[in-house]
């Protein structure tokens, strides 16, 4: 920043300088505290004024910092309190002093984040409400890069933020400063009470592949990453983790060897190099192959195989039978990415959510061979929606869940529940799919039966639900939950965040036979509390 003010040419009132809006505006709220950090190098004395534009006269306390003439960088930090609110503020750094200033790693962060770990509480809570059992990170193609020179390298993402070089995400065309790095991902998963699934680069980009004979550095990098996560504080990389403030090892049990790389000629050779090395060092580690074994058995060892599907709504509805004939003697499936996309999805439609619910019921019915499942990308900033749909949409201060998000929430109890034997008898429609599960709702220790029905058709359906194994006098308390809307392409938005969300009604003293009305284009859940 070159400032040419002088006694003969004084700066305007307020000074001159630079401005940055952050990611499409900084959410600054009255009464909250914000930490401003920047690094500066200059000569002599200077006075920087920090302020936010778009907010009524927020003065951020001037910092007068003396920089010696040795040309070294100095870290400047201050905590300020906002006296007004603006959701789309820009940070300004100004001065009235003539001089040349080098600025780098400028950051504004609210102090009020989840457990002080840097995550917005509202976004964190939306994920926590899904009660995730695992988180797959740091992504799919993000791990590879369009070219290997830009692939994700975990060692560059740890340590002091200002020392992380960052990298260009050439798949999605943006620069990442890697402020959320390997350690932050592990910390996030731990905060959620979930298990981490680390996806590492197996020697591939979208346009390149490393020959298996030259793979040793990649294998060692993966072993180092596992040691960083779960090694003792006395180990080489476990000690690095400990010095960064987390002496306790993370509970890393799963790794994915690459992402969507099975098509490459070197994948099997590369995969086996990783598999053998990791099994020797960590015999308990569960390893995930990129190759789909839902129809054909794998020709290499694996603990799980990865299955991805993005398609239209009709096709995904039909894919509820995808795993009906999968071999029960091979590795189990990890459905790590799935969604309805493109025209049927809109910006996150009811139609997409219905097909996804049907697909999930199919996975539920095949839970003896489908071990884990996770939706397509979790978050999307509405200002940069390069991939649609996503479960949670946000901007600087607000958020909403798409209908697909609410379907995920409806299926929470399926994890760890008992699949019950059930039959759907209907001659009127091939647009219905249903399942039944039972589970105990701790800490109340009450037993529930949940019947889920997806109606993918335009007609109202009448079903008769009969339960067996109970006496004729058995009564239930029933809760009916429905996700539907007046138009199958309806979506949620910032202005209407609850347009398509679950709606519930309840009844008591319901008998064993229930006459159930299922709305057109709906997901309906009947929860029966067994007295």
């Amino acid at each position: 920043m070159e400032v040419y003010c002088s006694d003969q040419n004084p700066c305007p009132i307020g000074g001159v300088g630079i401005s940055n809006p952050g990611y499409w505006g900084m959410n600054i709220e009255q009464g909250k505290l914000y930490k401003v950090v920047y690094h500066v190098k200059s000569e002599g004395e200077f006075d920087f004024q920090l302020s936010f534009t778009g907010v009524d006269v927020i003065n951020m306390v001037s910092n007068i910092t003396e920089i010696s003439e040795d040309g070294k960088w100095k870290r400047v930090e201050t905590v300020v309190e906002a006296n007004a609110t603006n959701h789309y503020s820009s940070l300004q750094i100004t001065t009235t002093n003539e001089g040349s200033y080098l600025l780098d790693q400028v950051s504004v962060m609210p102090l009020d984040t989840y457990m002080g770990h840097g995550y917005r509480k509202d976004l964190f809570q939306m994920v926590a409400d899904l009660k995730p059992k695992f988180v797959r990170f740091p992504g799919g193609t993000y791990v590879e890069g369009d070219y290997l020179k830009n692939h994700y390298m975990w060692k560059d993402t740890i340590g002091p933020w200002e020392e992380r070089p960052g990298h260009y995400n050439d798949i999605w065309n943006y620069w990442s400063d890697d402020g959320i790095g390997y350690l932050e991902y592990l910390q996030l998963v731990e905060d959620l009470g979930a298990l981490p699934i680390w996806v590492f680069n197996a020697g591939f980009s979208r346009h390149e592949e490393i020959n298996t004979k030259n793979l040793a550095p990649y294998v060692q990098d993966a072993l180092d990453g596992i040691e960083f996560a779960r090694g003792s504080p006395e180990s080489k990389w476990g000690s690095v983790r400990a010095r960064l403030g987390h002496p306790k090892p993370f509970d890393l049990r799963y790794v994915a060897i690459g992402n969507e790389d099975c098509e490459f000629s070197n994948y099997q050779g590369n995969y086996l190099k990783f598999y053998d090395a990791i099994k020797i060092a960590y015999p308990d580690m569960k390893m995930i192959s990129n190759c789909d074994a839902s129809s054909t058995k794998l020709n290499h060892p694996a603990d799980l195989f990865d299955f991805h599907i993005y398609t239209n709504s009709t096709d995904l509805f039909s894919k509820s039978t995808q795993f009906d004939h999968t071999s029960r003697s091979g590795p189990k499936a990890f459905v790590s990415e799935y969604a309805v996309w493109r025209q049927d999805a809109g910006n996150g439609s009811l139609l997409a959510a219905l097909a996804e619910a049907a697909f999930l019921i199919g996975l539920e019915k095949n839970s003896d061979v489908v071990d884990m499942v996770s939706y397509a990308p979790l978050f999307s900033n509405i200002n940069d929606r390069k991939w649609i749909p996503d479960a949670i949409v946000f901007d600087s201060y607000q958020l909403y869940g798409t209908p697909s998000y609410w379907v995920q929430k409806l299926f929470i109890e399926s994890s760890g529940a008992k699949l019950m034997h059930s039959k759907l008898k209907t001659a009127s429609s091939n647009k219905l799919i249903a399942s039944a599960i039972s589970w105990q709702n701790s800490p109340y220790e009450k037993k529930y039966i949940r019947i889920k029905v997806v109606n993918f058709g335009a007609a109202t359906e009448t079903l008769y639900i009969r339960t067996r194994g109970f006496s004729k006098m058995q009564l239930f308390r029933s809760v009916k939950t429905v996700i539907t809307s007046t138009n199958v392409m309806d979506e949620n938005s910032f202005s209407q965040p609850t347009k398509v969300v679950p709606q519930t009604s309840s009844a008591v003293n319901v008998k064993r036979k229930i006459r159930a009305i299922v709305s057109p284009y709906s997901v309906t859940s009947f929860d029966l509390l067994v007295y």
Side-chain angles (χ1 to χ4, degrees), residues 141 143-148 151 201-210 212 215 218 257-259 261-271 274 290:
T141 51
V143 173
E144 304 158 309
D146 217 22
Y147 293 92
L148 280 170
H151 82 271
N201 190 291
F204 304 94
S205 70
R206 287 294 86 196
H207 296 98
E208 303 158 306
E209 52 184 311
I210 300 296
T212 302
L215 196 65
Y218 284 81
I257 302 175
N259 167 76
D261 298 326
C262 191
E263 65 195 55
F264 288 101
S265 59
N266 286 330
Y267 182 71
Q268 181 159 313
N270 288 11
Y271 173 89
F274 286 105
N290 289 180

Side-chain angles (χ1 to χ4, degrees), residues 136-140 143 152 197-201 254-259:
R136 174 179 178 257
F137 70 89
V143 173
Y152 181 87
I197 298 180
W198 181 38
V199 186
F200 58 73
N201 190 291
Y254 299 88
V255 292
I257 302 175
N259 167 76

Side-chain angles (χ1 to χ4, degrees), residues 351-372:
L351 179 63
L354 296 177
E356 291 156 7
F359 180 65
L360 284 174
I361 286 179
L363 301 187
E364 193 172 89
K365 290 183 173 182
N366 286 284
S367 55
D368 61 323
V369 73
V370 179
D371 199 47
M372 299 185 290

Side-chain angles (χ1 to χ4, degrees), residues 316-386:
L316 193 62
F317 183 87
S318 72
K319 288 293 192 295
S320 61
T321 60
Q322 176 73 33
F323 295 92
D324 286 3
H325 304 292
T326 298
S327 170
R328 266 53 185 172
S329 63
K332 293 189 176 185
F334 173 27
V335 182
S336 67
E337 295 185 29
Y338 75 94
V340 172
W341 68 345
R342 295 180 175 164
Q343 184 174 349
D344 284 358
N347 290 310
S349 68
L350 171 63
L351 179 63
L354 296 177
E356 291 156 7
F359 180 65
L360 284 174
I361 286 179
L363 301 187
E364 193 172 89
K365 290 183 173 182
N366 286 284
S367 55
D368 61 323
V369 73
V370 179
D371 199 47
M372 299 185 290
V373 57
S374 54
Y375 182 71
L378 190 63
F379 287 114
S380 178
N381 190 309
I382 201 166
N383 296 285
D384 192 30
R385 301 197 73 177
K386 288 187 171 71

Side-chain angles (χ1 to χ4, degrees), residues 446-458:
K446 293 181 178 180
K447 185 177 181 181
Y448 287 84
I449 298 171
R450 170 170 288 184
I451 298 108
K452 294 190 291 293
V453 184
V454 175
N455 183 359
F456 199 60

